[in-house]
Amino acid sequence: MIDLAVKIDNLQLKNPVMTASGTFGYGLEFDDFLDVSQLGGIVVKATTSKHREGNRYPRLAETNMGMLNSVGLQNKGVDYFVKETYPKLTKYNTNVIVNVSDSTIEGYVEVAEKINELERIPGIELNISCPNVKEGGMAFGTSSQMAASVVKAVRKAYKKTLIVKLSPNVTNITEIAKAVEDAGADSVSLINTLLGMAIDAEKRRPVLSTVTGGLSGPAVKPIALRMVYQVSKAVKIPVIGLGGISSATDAIEFILAGATAIQVGTANFIDPAVTIKIINGIADYLQRHQIENITNLIGALEI
Ligand code: SIN
């Protein structure tokens, strides 16, 4: 018997495969393609204290082996989420995690307090790494002090599992990871997108309305893998790895590098059922290598 179960703080995951925020809607949009309850968890779209329209179009651009986005945290705000969206998510038999963002510390705390009251949401992912907003977002995640301040404030208000999503747009990601661990994070997820840009040479204009955007997809995988490896050596809390994962082999690589669980992002746009294939592929790998328990593979890279 193969055991795929892993634990992130108090979260029991039936397998290590989660979906990344902003790439899987609220899960509901994917009900026609897969049984969402088979996943280890889903991280639903970023939620802020107030309704946000997001950035002007165009805000998506395809790149070689990747995608740029500058959505700008479009969402209907936490009160709408609590009243309208949350009741629809209680049907899922998996960990539904809410990605929480805002432009001020007070805003982050307000969202976290409201989500804390929702019985069927066992954790939040604090987004201090969105590169597409003028205020907040990545500004919190690129300084150890700012990151620690927001995590400390949210920690006081939020009693369940607190995952902090880190930005790769820093010189030393282990410093930020250690700062948020010391401030009370139960886990870190990494990486969010890398700041990039695309130009339309014929028009001599940037492709995105915001000029720059966040790069994701297979193009960023080696960077994500390196950062997961470094961070998992630097902190004691569990690491959730993401960045360009599109196959079971990719997922295994992140687990060997030290990730306890993984998130699948951009690949959901290409194959909406890719996560189920990844779960099955991980089970096959364990069987082939005669490993009974996935936890024996976490950080098992031989150097
Ligand atoms: C966005 O809404 O701009 C993307 C979210 C993120 O990068 O965290």
Side-chain angles (χ1 to χ4, degrees), residues 52-89:
R52 291 178 64 103
E53 279 298 323
N55 294 324
R56 270 191 307 113
Y57 291 86
R59 53 191 196 182
L60 286 180
E62 262 189 63
T63 65
N64 286 341
M65 292 181 66
M67 184 184 101
L68 282 162
N69 93 82
S70 68
V71 172
L73 302 175
Q74 178 183 1
N75 77 104
K76 292 185 170 159
V78 66
D79 292 335
Y80 181 93
F81 175 81
V82 169
K83 199 159 166 274
E84 304 292 336
T85 313
Y86 169 67
K88 296 182 194 147
L89 305 182

Side-chain angles (χ1 to χ4, degrees), residues 268-288:
N268 291 307
F269 297 125
I270 298 162
D271 176 359
V274 68
T275 41
I276 301 296
K277 292 173 189 160
I278 292 176
I279 295 168
N280 294 336
I282 294 173
D284 283 350
Y285 177 94
L286 294 184
Q287 217 136 31
R288 259 191 310 114

Side-chain angles (χ1 to χ4, degrees), residues 187-242:
S187 170
V188 282
S189 56
L190 61 138
I191 56 174
N192 204 327
T193 54
L194 277 149
L195 197 58
M197 129 177 221
I199 291 178
D200 183 329
E202 291 304 317
K203 295 185 183 148
R204 301 187 196 179
R205 291 185 57 81
V207 176
L208 299 173
S209 71
T210 46
V211 182
T212 60
L215 180 66
S216 61
V220 310
K221 198 192 97 180
I223 299 167
L225 206 48
R226 182 264 294 177
M227 289 187 164
V228 164
Y229 173 71
Q230 290 176 324
V231 167
S232 64
K233 293 238 167 308
V235 297
K236 294 189 183 66
I237 50 179
V239 171
I240 302 172
L242 70 151

